[in-house]
Amino acid sequence: MGAGHAHVLYREATSPVHRLPPEVKIAAMVLFTLAVVATPRTAFWAFGGYALLVAAVAALARVGPGWLLSRAAIELPFVLFAVALPFLGAGERVEVAGLALSVDGLLGGWNIVAKGTLGVLASLLLAATTTTRDLIVGLDRLRCPQIVTQIATFMLRYLDVLVGEARRMRVARVSRGDDPRFLWQLRGFAAGVGALFLRAFERGERVYLAMLSRGYSGRMPAVWQGAGAASAGQWLVGATVPLVAAGIAATAVALT
């Protein structure tokens, strides 16, 4: 479970954002998102300020806008829903390009797109500057419930193993004439999924018992966590973005 477990979104670099401890980045991302969510939807200028903050962090982390925007396409289903709101919403209507659109629907759609996009971009920046291993370490240092960190640790360690086993089971089915493209062969596919679940469950039980026999207490050992927790100076640096965001949100609420 070494540093080689980097997810597909992680971008190797030596930027100041990469060097921040993971717990600092996780806390900053969560607080920034809360500030964005708390902002009134009619405070359009505030969302521009948040976008500038995200752009500044991305530039500091050496993450290009093209990379961010292409990965942000994951929110497209929500964008489509937001586009439909002006047509489906009730109440006062305004004419735009010959179309009668709901004012509440327009504001609701804008609210979803603006806040959702900023939240996705903040999450992408966290993923781009933090390995999966460091994310789990950061959650553990923030005293996240042990059951969450344990599940995430096992998933990180054995996801590749399960994917490889599922691939081998599929090859075995296909070599025996099975073709999951046909509807009447779904029974065999379902049986394979059930068998994979049982194998994963039994493997997890064996591994967990083996870890307990070697002194595992439910938290990551200090050696696995690497360097110590964040210093006061690092917390102050990481607090810059959420503090500015909180100031923007407070101003927006006061002016609305």
Side-chain angles (χ1 to χ4, degrees):
M1 190 115 69
H5 284 269
H7 50 77
V8 294
L9 295 177
Y10 178 72
R11 293 173 63 85
E12 188 73 38
T14 56
S15 73
V17 182
H18 283 76
R19 290 193 293 269
L20 279 177
E23 63 270 27
V24 174
K25 290 184 280 188
I26 293 172
M29 188 273 293
V30 172
L31 293 175
F32 171 81
T33 304
L34 290 176
V36 171
V37 171
T39 303
R41 62 186 184 180
T42 54
F44 303 110
W45 63 269
F47 296 101
Y50 296 140
L52 289 177
L53 282 177
V54 171
V57 174
L60 197 61
R62 300 171 190 169
V63 178
W67 186 91
L68 277 176
L69 293 177
S70 63
R71 270 67 179 183
I74 191 174
E75 67 166 343
L76 270 180
F78 301 98
V79 173
L80 295 176
F81 173 73
V83 170
L85 284 180
F87 300 96
L88 303 176
E92 181 185 354
R93 292 192 169 267
V94 63
E95 188 169 328
V96 179
L99 298 174
L101 304 178
S102 167
V103 175
D104 285 340
L106 285 171
L107 290 175
W110 155 256
N111 192 51
I112 292 174
V113 172
K115 294 182 179 180
T117 301
L118 289 168
V120 169
L121 293 177
S123 301
L124 285 173
L125 284 175
L126 174 64
T129 57
T130 316
T131 63
T132 310
R133 172 186 178 277
D134 286 341
L135 284 173
I136 297 176
V137 170
L139 291 173
D140 191 64
R141 289 176 181 171
L142 291 172
R143 297 304 173 188
C144 185
Q146 292 186 16
I147 187 65
V148 175
T149 55
Q150 287 182 37
I151 291 174
T153 303
F154 279 109
M155 181 186 72
L156 169 63
R157 178 63 183 87
Y158 290 103
L159 183 61
D160 292 339
V161 176
L162 293 177
V163 170
E165 193 158 353
R167 188 178 297 112
R168 288 192 297 272
M169 291 174 65
R170 182 184 181 280
V171 171
R173 289 201 316 271
V174 172
S175 66
R176 288 167 174 79
D178 179 64
D179 192 343
R181 293 179 299 177
F182 295 106
L183 184 62
W184 56 84
Q185 292 180 326
L186 285 179
R187 180 179 179 182
F189 175 76
V193 172
L196 182 63
F197 171 77
L198 290 176
R199 293 185 186 183
F201 182 81
E202 292 172 352
R203 186 192 299 272
E205 285 288 317
R206 291 195 302 270
V207 171
Y208 182 69
L209 291 175
M211 292 172 66
L212 287 179
S213 67
R214 288 165 174 80
Y216 180 65
S217 60
R219 306 205 76 91
M220 264 74 78
V223 174
W224 191 80
Q225 292 193 21
S231 63
Q234 290 172 323
W235 277 111
L236 287 175
V237 171
T240 303
V241 170
L243 284 177
V244 173
I248 294 174
T251 305
V253 171
L255 294 179
T256 301

